[in-house]
Amino acid sequence: MTVPEGAQLSDDGNYWWDGSDWQPTGNAEGGAGLVDALTQQGIAIAPEAADATYIQQIAMHVNSWYEGLDENSRAIVDALSKLGGDALLGDPEVGVVTEGDPLISAFSANSMTLQESLQATNQALEQTA
């Protein structure tokens, strides 16, 4: 993400405060390698959003939410996500992630189920660890 001028940065410089949540600056180590690994897995994410720590946190959070669903709800989420419906996770009414989250936006751009996108993300993270 582009860091606005004058934005508060985290001590490590990897995040900036948007007024309600910490956003990745894209300065984290291994960003280019993670972009390549995610692309190989079918997930196209902007290089400035390729912060491994942030992506891992979001993937774990979404996976925890997903695993908490019953079987029928998972089937519905997966059917919607194959059609790009992953963006619904950022809807304020659903509230799983912040609206416009870069990882979830990348999930919306592929034709994988949410579970497949999460598995692919975890594989990319392992590949670049």
Side-chain angles (χ1 to χ4, degrees), residues 22 28-29 38 41 44-45 57 75 84 111 124 126:
W22 288 102
E29 296 176 19
L38 286 167
Q41 294 292 334
I45 194 163
Q57 288 173 345
S111 60
E126 288 175 14

Side-chain angles (χ1 to χ4, degrees), residues 76-93:
I76 292 168
V77 167
D78 282 338
L80 289 171
S81 64
K82 285 185 72 74
L83 302 171
D86 304 271
L88 291 172
L89 299 176
D91 183 294
E93 295 290 322

